[in-house]
Amino acid sequence: MPVERTLSIIKPDATRRNLTGRINAVFEAKGLRIIAQKRLQLSRAQAENFYAIHRERPFFNDLVAFMISGPVVVQVLEGENAVAHNRDIMGATDPKKAAPGTIRAEFAENIEANSVHGSDSAENAANEIAFFFAGIEITG
């Protein structure tokens, strides 16, 4: 399997509850390396730009409001088949449907406050990583 990079965001519900370390421990225990990381507060414009693909969806405004409600931790994860592997580790978007042991099953509050975001394709991962990180910020 190819070594890939993917973007992960630990969302405001998880940072508010001080779960960053526990969530990162899951990524690392499951074979993903954290090769870049920073904590930040998204502005409305940044969140709208990042989630622009969902602009026409009915949940867009609620998603943006949630993502600016507190700090997030953005990070680059690296590992074999990292995009798909991270999505397996995160679990289903709806924590009620997430497999036991996944991040969302363990930590999510509900379908909106589901603790983590992960890229859904290698192409989107590259774009999302570039949105938050300059090349010099990523160690390998």
Side-chain angles (χ1 to χ4, degrees), residues 54-62:
H54 300 301
R55 189 173 303 278
E56 301 304 319
R57 308 283 294 269
F59 59 81
F60 178 75
N61 288 326
D62 289 339

Side-chain angles (χ1 to χ4, degrees), residues 4 29 48-49 66 70 73 78 82 89 97 100 107-108 131 135:
E4 295 177 330
E48 287 176 349
N49 192 18
F66 171 65
V73 175
E78 183 179 75
I89 293 167
K97 297 177 182 174
F107 302 116
F131 184 89

Side-chain angles (χ1 to χ4, degrees), residues 4-55:
E4 295 177 330
R5 292 178 175 175
T6 190
L7 184 84
S8 170
I9 301 175
I10 300 177
K11 295 180 177 182
D13 64 295
T15 61
R16 181 182 69 250
R17 293 178 290 141
N18 294 318
L19 296 174
T20 302
R22 291 174 64 189
I23 290 171
N24 283 340
V26 174
F27 291 137
E28 292 178 332
K30 301 280 185 172
L32 293 174
R33 293 179 49 229
I34 300 166
I35 61 170
Q37 181 182 74
K38 56 187 163 185
R39 184 180 180 100
L40 50 88
Q41 177 74 49
L42 292 173
S43 69
R44 178 169 296 282
Q46 288 169 323
E48 287 176 349
N49 192 18
F50 183 76
Y51 286 107
I53 192 169
H54 300 301
R55 189 173 303 278

Side-chain angles (χ1 to χ4, degrees), residues 88-99:
D88 288 342
I89 293 167
M90 290 189 309
T93 303
D94 183 348
K96 292 177 184 172
K97 297 177 182 174

